[in-house]
Amino acid sequence: MKKYAVILSSLAFLLAACSAAPADSVAATPVPTETPAPTAEPTPEPTATPSPTPAPTMAVYDEVSFDDWRDGAGCTMPDYTFSAPHKPQPQEQVTWPTDGVTLCYNAKTLEEAAEIFHTTVENLKELNPDWQDKYSRAIGCYWALKVQADPYTLPMNNVVTVTVNAPWVEGYYDRTEVCDVPASLDKQARAALASAYYFQYHWWGMHAGFLPYEKLDEPVGFFNYRAADGAFYTKFSEFGSFLHTVYSDVWVDDMLSMDPALFAEGENDTILTLDGDRGGNIAYCGHLFTEPELQPDGSLAFWQLSLTCESDDFKGWAGEETIVPDTATVTTVRLVPTENGWRVDALELPS
C-alpha cells in the first residue's frame, strides 16, 4: 500500500509520473556489469533495453568535454563538483536488502509492460490478480504492476555524487542539489543528468514554478506570476538555453507545450510561472541504477530503481528501527547524443 505525505497539491496532476569511471573519462560504450535478475519461466529475464529497439537515427557520438558543454550553454550555468566513484550508500535508517525485492512498473497499458519486460499480458494478469484495480484514471496508467514472479536482485553499481550549485539563487534550499548518477557515464553526461535532477526536484517536480516571483497586474492565461530577481532564471531566453543544454529538444518542446504548462515566455523576455507543490512517498528509501547501455540508435538507456518499503509493518520514520525496502519500481533514464554533448531525454524523479 502506497503511503503519501501530501503537501499542497494544486499541480499534482501535472507532476504525477506514469511511466563513475574517473571524472574526466568518457565511456561512450560502457562495460556492462552483471545485474542478476532471476525470473521464473515463462517470464524471460528483464533487461534495461526497451523493446522493440528503435531503428538507428543518430550519428555516432563524438565526445564533448564537460568544459566545452558548460561554456557553450549560452547562459549562466551552475557550478559542479564530482566525487570519486563509490558504491551507492543507503540513506539514514535504510539498509539495502540482502534478499531480492518485488520488481514493479507503472504502465500506460498492459501491452506496454509486457513488451518492455518480455512477457505476456496474460502473465501480468496472473502476477497482478487486482490488475483492474491498479488502473488510475487520474494519471492514466496501471500503478505498481508486478512484472516478474521471482525476487529481483538489486544492482550495486558504482555511482558518482554530483553537487550542483547555483550561487545566484535566493532560496538556500533551491540553491544546491546533491545527487548520485551512474559512474560509467562520462563527466559531461554526469553533469547533464545531475542538472536535470536539480531542475526537476526544485522547479518541475516536488515544487512547480520559480521562486521568488512577482504577481502580474493581469493574469495571462493560467499564469498569475513572473519570475523575479533571485529566481533560477528571470529571462526566458536564458532559461531556454539552460533547458536545451540539459535536455533533448523533444523533451523541452513537450514540457513547454503542456496544457497548462508550468512556464511560458512573457513580455520583454520575462518568464511566466505557476506555483505549486506535491507530496512525496513517505515509504521512499532511495534509488539505484542499472548500468547504462548503448542502444542501436546511439542513446544511453538504463533503469532507475526507486526503492520503497510496502510492508504493512512500516510505520514511518519517527522511530529508530532500520528500514529495509522490499519493492523496486522501474523507470527508464535515457540520454541522447547531440553535436554539443549528451542530453537527457527521459527522467522521472524517484520519489
Side-chain angles (χ1 to χ4, degrees):
M1 184 176 73
K2 298 287 177 182
K3 310 164 185 72
Y4 291 94
V6 178
I7 315 172
L8 178 64
S9 58
S10 62
L11 295 176
F13 69 99
L14 292 173
L15 304 168
C18 233
S19 41
D24 294 315
S25 67
V26 174
T29 308
V31 178
T33 61
E34 184 178 357
T35 305
T39 59
E41 293 295 342
T43 307
E45 180 182 0
T47 172
T49 304
S51 177
T53 301
T57 57
M58 299 182 184
V60 175
Y61 176 71
D62 191 13
E63 175 188 348
V64 174
S65 74
F66 164 75
D67 290 336
D68 288 346
W69 169 82
R70 186 175 184 274
D71 293 344
C75 63
T76 302
M77 289 291 285
D79 300 322
Y80 301 83
T81 58
F82 305 82
S83 77
H86 59 88
K87 290 298 180 185
Q89 299 298 309
Q91 62 190 47
E92 188 177 357
Q93 281 188 257
V94 172
T95 297
W96 299 133
T98 55
D99 299 326
V101 298
T102 300
L103 192 66
C104 294
Y105 181 70
N106 304 326
K108 292 183 179 179
T109 65
L110 296 178
E111 289 76 12
E112 174 199 0
E115 190 171 43
I116 290 173
F117 293 93
H118 303 277
T119 185
T120 64
V121 170
E122 291 71 23
N123 189 50
L124 289 175
K125 290 180 178 180
E126 291 179 4
L127 292 171
N128 301 273
D130 58 345
W131 63 274
Q132 291 175 310
D133 297 330
K134 286 180 175 287
Y135 187 78
S136 169
R137 293 184 180 275
I139 56 179
C141 75
Y142 291 92
W143 188 260
L145 285 173
K146 185 178 180 180
V147 293
Q148 69 178 45
D150 285 354
Y152 175 76
T153 302
L154 292 172
M156 290 292 164
N157 300 314
N158 277 355
V159 294
V160 165
T161 300
V162 184
T163 301
V164 184
N165 178 263
W168 67 89
V169 172
E170 177 179 288
Y172 176 80
Y173 170 77
D174 289 330
R175 196 174 302 149
T176 304
E177 182 64 33
V178 180
C179 61
D180 288 344
V181 300
S184 58
L185 297 175
D186 68 37
K187 188 175 182 180
Q188 184 270 309
R190 295 173 188 169
L193 183 55
S195 299
Y197 276 117
Y198 178 37
F199 174 68
Q200 289 178 226
Y201 266 120
H202 293 276
W203 300 294
W204 203 72
M206 304 304 288
H207 178 79
F210 285 157
L211 292 170
Y213 53 67
E214 302 169 338
K215 189 172 179 61
L216 299 173
D217 294 334
E218 296 289 339
V220 179
F222 289 95
F223 296 99
N224 290 300
Y225 312 103
R226 71 169 63 90
D229 288 345
F232 187 41
Y233 290 106
T234 58
K235 294 182 178 180
F236 192 85
S237 56
E238 290 190 348
F239 179 40
S241 294
F242 168 82
L243 291 176
H244 285 285
T245 300
V246 172
Y247 295 98
S248 69
D249 292 345
V250 171
W251 193 98
V252 176
D253 290 344
D254 286 346
M255 188 199 77
L256 294 177
S257 64
M258 292 173 61
D259 188 18
L262 301 183
F263 305 95
E265 183 175 4
E267 293 182 350
N268 301 316
D269 201 24
T270 56
I271 302 173
L272 303 179
T273 181
L274 296 182
D275 179 34
D277 294 272
R278 74 162 171 90
N281 186 351
I282 65 171
Y284 172 69
C285 299
H287 61 279
L288 299 169
F289 302 105
T290 59
E291 273 297 300
E293 296 178 0
L294 189 64
Q295 306 300 307
D297 67 354
S299 67
L300 286 170
F302 51 98
W303 283 355
Q304 175 182 258
L305 298 158
S306 179
L307 306 179
T308 55
C309 182
E310 303 298 331
S311 169
D312 290 337
D313 295 333
F314 176 74
K315 296 179 174 59
W317 302 91
E320 296 181 357
E321 68 274 10
T322 298
I323 308 299
V324 181
D326 53 31
T327 302
T329 300
V330 174
T331 56
T332 297
V333 182
R334 181 178 296 104
L335 290 86
V336 296
T338 73
E339 293 181 354
N340 300 308
W342 295 103
R343 298 294 188 268
V344 177
D345 190 58
L347 176 67
E348 299 175 21
L349 294 180
S351 173

